[in-house]
Amino acid sequence: MSKRRTDGKPTIADVAQRAGVGAITVSRALRDPSLVSDALREKIDAAVRELGYVPNLAARALASTRSDVVGVLVPSLTQHIFADVLRGIYDGIGKTRLHIQVGNTRYDLNEEERLLAELLRHKPAGLIVSGIDQSPTARRMLENANCPVIQVMDLSDDPVNKIIGFSHHNAGKAMTQHLIEVGYRRIGFLSGWMNSRSKGRLSGYVEALEEAGLYDPQLANAAGDLGALALRGSWDKHQYSTPAMGRELLAELWRRVPDLDAVFCNNDVLALGVLFECNARGISVPQDFGIAGFNDEDFMEAASPPLSSVRTHRWKVGHDAVIALRRQLDGEPDDEKVIDVGFDVIKRASTDRGGVLGRAGDANVGTPKPMAVGGGTV
Amino acid sequence: MSKRRTDGKPTIADVAQRAGVGAITVSRALRDPSLVSDALREKIDAAVRELGYVPNLAARALASTRSDVVGVLVPSLTQHIFADVLRGIYDGIGKTRLHIQVGNTRYDLNEEERLLAELLRHKPAGLIVSGIDQSPTARRMLENANCPVIQVMDLSDDPVNKIIGFSHHNAGKAMTQHLIEVGYRRIGFLSGWMNSRSKGRLSGYVEALEEAGLYDPQLANAAGDLGALALRGSWDKHQYSTPAMGRELLAELWRRVPDLDAVFCNNDVLALGVLFECNARGISVPQDFGIAGFNDEDFMEAASPPLSSVRTHRWKVGHDAVIALRRQLDGEPDDEKVIDVGFDVIKRASTDRGGVLGRAGDANVGTPKPMAVGGGTV
DNA sequence: CTGTTAGCGCTTTCAC
DNA sequence: GTGAAAGCGCTAACAG
């Protein structure tokens, strides 16, 4: 009775024996075929095929003290925005040997620490984390991670290593300025759960109003504790928004600020709810009320009327993060610590109070490719 | 000069030495504290803390010939439905030692094979894969995976190991029957990209129409090649639906079938687009036209009018899959090979042609908790 | 309950 | 360009 505790699968030694070479040659042929002569490489490839050899990644990771795992920490799996970032990440990984391991922090700093600790046990090849508000402990872990760390979806003067994102403050400010420009005067800010990026948007909103002399503490206060209201409600466990929440928040805000004439929603899902609420109340958008969202998800353009939003480049952020990571892993220089991918204010009918677009209904402003849908009535 | 190629981090031997015990005792204390006496355990815990010891998972995986990785294969990251399944999976994993590694197959059988092969190199503790239409090769890989395999989001008589989902055929049939019951007669089926589960829904739709004597090959054909139309368009690269696509598909279907009086949409996103298109054309829902979707995402209930849909239990499917996996890993018996989690037809105003709900606008049918939103006009 | 020994399968080091 | 030997850090298998 042997003491071997193998699972019977062929090992690199089996391949080596069959190919009549040393194990290390097989190892090299597998990792970088150019390191091995053509003749041997062919023999090895044949042996691999005949044996159905599958490399054991744990052994590789142990021997080389580094794995092919890229750890990704996102605060939410449900929000479309992070799904897009993830898609960019996966697309950036492509068919490389790298593997993604996603952790869902749920906007919980303790959970983030725990997940980070778990990830570090894998000796990851790289880490991609959302935002900049890690706990001091987490920050230290990232700094000692011994691998490239990319922060995404925000900006900071002091990234752990590299950060790719955009200014939420500027984005919030820009959309608010648009609302002011087209003539709205009592502009509310609608938000449920507030994370640090939402707060950036809010501060941009406040700044734009202040600069225009339209700042009203009452309105700002109302905006401020609507988040608290959201948390008090049935959404206390959800850290994501729903259209139903948008409807309810709008109703509440209207109660507090009866002369409200527009809202800037912290995200598109809330904006959709606001549109539904306006529909239900028979309020015409944009004439009587302006609606703007944030992120520019697919449905914003297709809504009736099309909804204005701030387009953010989530896919690109995820994709570029991986590209940067791979560059660093390949030892290429990468000195740009802070990458600002920007944003675009997409002006559509829902904020076209000035009538720049005419009152034709579904026209789009600022959208590169207007849809080809059948207009008019049947 | 030492030959060690360690990265300097403390190992289990360091902890053992510091605690004055054998390495194996530390190993045991870490994996299952109950295997070690209190006295030693405390010493070990202290040593771990003082050294900042972090176990090396690669070494563990190598020595034990099994990892803590649970491989998950989904066809899409963008579709809300799979985000929900993933959330269920993450919630099921909780704070166990298990790790999720997600692969995005993009509905591509070759890519699925490739990702599966990659996953298998990790000697995963378990696998969760979407659906039942794997390639023969992939199927064989799953059968030889040497770990529990759970298929999700569909049903089959012959699962690799265990399957958790529901009947798409029955779900499609049930919703179509509802549309027939409330009086619609020319019911279209709207779909973009068709996967095997969509086809199940379509077959249920066809069967319901046939049984009611409402089957019209013209209508069915129109439904059938709308998918092709969708693929011809600008969406050829996307395997997900958008509301804009819903609008365009509806316009096309209407052109072909002028007396269409309702559509059953393959998913909610298309249904939302259909609602927008009706809004834009001034068509009243449900009086002139009925709309039903599939999955019952958040926005369906909040829409104006609220949209009927088939509620599917995505979170539960993901969650139960992990629970089953953990049970199997713990060696507990689990003989139920096929778990049907069912579905619910949620009847809302968008299909209330019969006026069962009255014409009050936003009432919900079949929804447990109607929202508390301000109705009427301002 | 605890320890010793011998691997797990691969890659690093260094020599040829 | 190729190989032999020596680990990587941990745990299964026995003992005690």
Side-chain angles (χ1 to χ4, degrees):
Chain A
M1 206 61 181
S2 152
K3 263 172 139 189
R4 297 195 91 225
R5 18 192 178 89
T6 171
D7 54 5
K9 302 266 166 71
T11 72
I12 203 168
D14 299 325
V15 176
Q17 187 172 24
R18 177 148 194 143
V21 301
I24 186 60
T25 306
V26 177
S27 170
R28 284 198 268 256
L30 260 36
R31 277 174 300 156
D32 185 353
S34 74
L35 294 173
V36 171
S37 68
D38 289 359
L40 287 192
R41 186 170 57 244
E42 278 168 30
K43 278 194 198 171
I44 290 169
D45 286 350
V48 165
R49 226 170 302 116
E50 288 159 21
L51 261 39
Y53 169 70
V54 176
N56 180 326
L57 292 185
R60 169 179 294 179
L62 178 58
S64 61
T65 64
R66 57 162 26 290
S67 75
D68 294 339
V69 170
V70 174
V72 177
L73 255 28
V74 293
S76 164
L77 291 170
T78 311
Q79 288 182 68
H80 217 277
I81 155 177
F82 290 106
D84 287 334
V85 174
L86 283 177
R87 203 160 44 85
I89 290 174
Y90 276 88
D91 288 348
I93 291 285
K95 301 198 195 301
T96 65
R97 56 174 177 66
L98 297 172
H99 298 261
I100 306 283
Q101 201 153 303
V102 178
N104 179 190
T105 69
R106 301 152 202 252
Y107 290 104
D108 177 337
L109 294 184
N110 292 325
E111 183 67 2
E112 184 170 51
E113 269 179 33
R114 196 186 67 80
L115 289 168
L116 204 47
E118 290 281 310
L119 278 175
L120 290 176
R121 300 175 172 210
H122 285 283
K123 313 249 176 220
L127 289 169
I128 298 176
V129 301
S130 304
I132 55 179
D133 45 329
Q134 285 81 30
S135 71
T137 307
R139 170 91 190 194
R140 212 170 314 120
M141 293 167 88
L142 289 174
E143 282 162 353
N144 298 330
N146 223 352
C147 71
V149 174
I150 319 275
Q151 289 162 290
V152 293
M153 290 307 282
D154 209 338
L155 292 181
S156 159
D157 297 333
D158 178 35
V160 171
N161 189 297
K162 185 184 185 96
I163 188 163
I164 304 178
F166 61 93
S167 164
H168 290 260
H169 175 91
N170 292 351
K173 185 170 180 178
M175 178 51 95
T176 308
Q177 285 174 329
H178 161 64
L179 288 167
I180 295 169
E181 273 165 27
V182 295
Y184 296 106
R185 287 296 169 265
R186 299 287 286 165
I187 304 162
F189 183 86
L190 214 65
S191 174
W193 176 261
M194 294 287 285
N195 59 50
S196 73
R197 289 174 289 283
S198 309
K199 285 173 194 154
R201 262 114 74 180
L202 176 58
S203 76
Y205 153 87
V206 168
E207 190 170 292
L209 286 184
E210 281 177 342
E211 288 180 8
L214 294 171
Y215 178 64
D216 175 355
Q218 154 69 15
L219 192 60
N221 284 341
D225 65 345
L226 273 177
L229 178 146
L231 293 180
R232 274 208 320 276
S234 55
W235 313 301
D236 50 357
K237 279 172 292 188
H238 311 295
Q239 281 139 15
Y240 57 89
S241 302
T242 65
M245 199 164 150
R247 293 187 69 158
E248 193 164 342
L249 287 171
L250 177 64
E252 175 66 20
L253 187 55
W254 242 327
R255 232 167 273 140
R256 300 183 187 194
V257 186
D259 62 341
L260 195 74
D261 63 5
V263 282
F264 174 24
C265 300
N266 190 31
N267 61 57
D268 291 337
V269 169
L270 292 177
L272 181 61
V274 165
L275 175 63
F276 287 144
E277 184 67 17
C278 288
N279 282 170
R281 295 190 186 210
I283 292 171
S284 64
V285 175
Q287 292 82 351
D288 299 338
F289 198 73
I291 305 175
F294 198 91
N295 276 326
D296 198 30
E297 291 190 40
D298 286 333
F299 57 79
M300 299 300 273
E301 176 179 43
S304 170
L307 298 165
S308 297
S309 194
V310 178
R311 182 172 295 168
T312 57
H313 308 291
R314 290 98 61 190
W315 184 90
K316 181 175 168 54
V317 163
H319 190 257
D320 288 4
V322 174
I323 300 303
L325 205 58
R326 290 173 56 182
R327 221 187 282 284
Q328 292 192 30
L329 290 177
D330 291 347
E332 292 172 39
D334 184 19
D335 16 69
E336 281 197 280
K337 293 257 168 246
V338 181
I339 309 280
D340 185 348
V341 299
F343 57 84
D344 302 304
V345 176
I346 307 292
K347 303 166 185 173
R348 298 204 182 89
S350 74
T351 56
D352 184 33
R353 179 178 236 182
V356 176
L357 302 172
R359 295 281 161 90
D362 278 9
N364 292 298
V365 191
T367 306
K369 297 183 297 179
M371 299 181 315
V373 294
T377 54
V378 187
Chain B
M1 208 59 181
S2 152
K3 264 171 141 187
R4 298 197 90 220
R5 24 193 174 86
T6 170
D7 54 5
K9 301 267 166 72
T11 73
I12 204 168
D14 299 326
V15 176
Q17 188 172 25
R18 177 148 194 145
V21 302
I24 188 65
T25 306
V26 176
S27 171
R28 283 199 268 256
L30 260 36
R31 278 174 300 156
D32 185 354
S34 73
L35 295 173
V36 171
S37 68
D38 290 359
L40 287 190
R41 187 170 56 246
E42 278 168 29
K43 277 195 197 170
I44 290 170
D45 286 351
V48 165
R49 228 172 300 116
E50 287 158 22
L51 261 38
Y53 169 71
V54 176
N56 180 326
L57 292 186
R60 168 179 294 180
L62 179 57
S64 61
T65 64
R66 55 159 30 284
S67 75
D68 294 339
V69 170
V70 174
V72 178
L73 254 29
V74 294
S76 163
L77 291 170
T78 312
Q79 288 183 67
H80 217 277
I81 155 176
F82 289 106
D84 287 335
V85 174
L86 283 177
R87 202 159 45 84
I89 290 175
Y90 276 88
D91 288 350
I93 291 285
K95 302 198 195 300
T96 65
R97 56 175 177 66
L98 296 172
H99 299 259
I100 306 284
Q101 201 153 302
V102 178
N104 179 190
T105 68
R106 301 151 201 252
Y107 291 104
D108 177 337
L109 293 185
N110 292 325
E111 182 67 2
E112 183 170 54
E113 269 179 34
R114 196 186 67 81
L115 288 168
L116 204 47
E118 290 282 311
L119 277 175
L120 290 176
R121 300 176 171 209
H122 285 283
K123 312 250 176 217
L127 289 169
I128 298 176
V129 302
S130 304
I132 55 180
D133 45 329
Q134 286 82 31
S135 71
T137 308
R139 169 90 190 196
R140 214 170 312 119
M141 293 167 89
L142 289 173
E143 281 162 353
N144 299 330
N146 223 351
C147 70
V149 174
I150 319 275
Q151 289 162 290
V152 293
M153 289 308 279
D154 208 338
L155 292 181
S156 160
D157 296 334
D158 178 34
V160 172
N161 189 299
K162 186 184 184 100
I163 188 163
I164 304 179
F166 61 94
S167 164
H168 291 258
H169 175 92
N170 291 351
K173 184 170 180 179
M175 178 52 96
T176 308
Q177 286 175 326
H178 161 63
L179 288 167
I180 295 168
E181 273 165 27
V182 295
Y184 296 107
R185 287 296 169 265
R186 298 288 286 167
I187 304 163
F189 183 86
L190 215 65
S191 174
W193 175 264
M194 294 286 285
N195 58 49
S196 72
R197 289 174 289 283
S198 310
K199 286 172 193 155
R201 263 115 72 181
L202 176 58
S203 77
Y205 153 87
V206 169
E207 190 170 293
L209 287 183
E210 281 177 341
E211 287 180 8
L214 294 170
Y215 178 63
D216 175 356
Q218 154 69 15
L219 191 61
N221 285 339
D225 65 344
L226 274 175
L229 178 147
L231 293 179
R232 274 209 320 277
S234 54
W235 315 300
D236 51 356
K237 278 172 294 189
H238 311 296
Q239 281 139 16
Y240 57 89
S241 302
T242 65
M245 198 164 152
R247 293 187 69 158
E248 193 165 339
L249 287 171
L250 177 64
E252 174 66 19
L253 188 54
W254 243 326
R255 233 167 273 140
R256 302 183 185 194
V257 186
D259 63 340
L260 193 75
D261 63 5
V263 282
F264 174 24
C265 300
N266 190 31
N267 60 56
D268 291 337
V269 169
L270 292 176
L272 181 61
V274 165
L275 175 62
F276 288 144
E277 184 67 17
C278 288
N279 282 170
R281 296 191 185 208
I283 291 170
S284 66
V285 176
Q287 291 82 351
D288 299 339
F289 197 73
I291 304 175
F294 198 91
N295 275 329
D296 198 30
E297 291 190 37
D298 286 334
F299 57 80
M300 299 300 272
E301 177 179 42
S304 172
L307 297 165
S308 297
S309 195
V310 178
R311 182 172 297 167
T312 57
H313 308 292
R314 291 96 62 191
W315 185 89
K316 182 174 168 52
V317 164
H319 189 257
D320 288 3
V322 175
I323 299 304
L325 206 57
R326 290 172 56 183
R327 221 186 283 283
Q328 291 192 30
L329 291 176
D330 291 346
E332 292 172 39
D334 184 20
D335 15 69
E336 282 197 280
K337 294 259 167 243
V338 181
I339 308 280
D340 185 348
V341 300
F343 57 84
D344 302 304
V345 176
I346 307 292
K347 303 166 185 174
R348 299 206 181 88
S350 73
T351 57
D352 185 32
R353 180 178 236 183
V356 176
L357 302 171
R359 295 282 160 89
D362 278 10
N364 291 298
V365 192
T367 307
K369 295 184 299 179
M371 299 180 318
V373 294
T377 53
V378 188

